[in-house]
């Protein structure tokens, strides 16, 4: 699935970037280019990073998450 439309980066490339050690959205961008243009994919990048590393999304992205 395409995560970053501006750079044409899919979720597989983002996961590989995290597996190579990326721990922030900026670091993901350094490795694969995702999130380096408009920033519209930052929430999706934060979710993928959180799922892969166990970090809370709000810590990665600095947002409040509503608890249902």
């Amino acid at each position: 699935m395409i995560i970053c439309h501006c750079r044409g980066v899919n979720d597989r490339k983002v996961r590989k970037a995290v597996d190579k050690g990326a721990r922030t959205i900026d670091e993901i961008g350094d490795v694969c280019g995702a999130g380096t243009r408009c920033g519209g994919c930052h929430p999706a990048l934060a979710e993928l990073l959180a799922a892969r590393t166990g970090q809370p999304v709000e810590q990665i992205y600095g947002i409040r998450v509503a608890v249902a």
Side-chain angles (χ1 to χ4, degrees):
M1 164 176 45
I2 298 293
I3 299 297
C4 177
H5 290 276
C6 294
R7 300 292 184 194
V9 179
N10 63 29
D11 58 322
R12 189 177 310 150
K13 287 183 182 179
V14 173
R15 286 188 188 99
K16 284 183 183 179
V18 175
D19 290 346
K20 289 180 180 180
R23 292 296 177 263
T24 66
I25 292 172
D26 287 340
E27 289 175 358
I28 290 171
D30 291 343
V31 175
C32 68
T36 59
R37 194 170 220 176
C38 81
C41 61
H42 285 190
L45 292 173
E47 287 182 27
L48 282 170
L49 185 56
R52 206 72 170 173
T53 64
Q55 298 178 65
V57 172
E58 59 270 15
Q59 180 182 348
I60 295 167
Y61 194 57
I63 58 172
R64 289 186 173 186
V65 178
V67 177

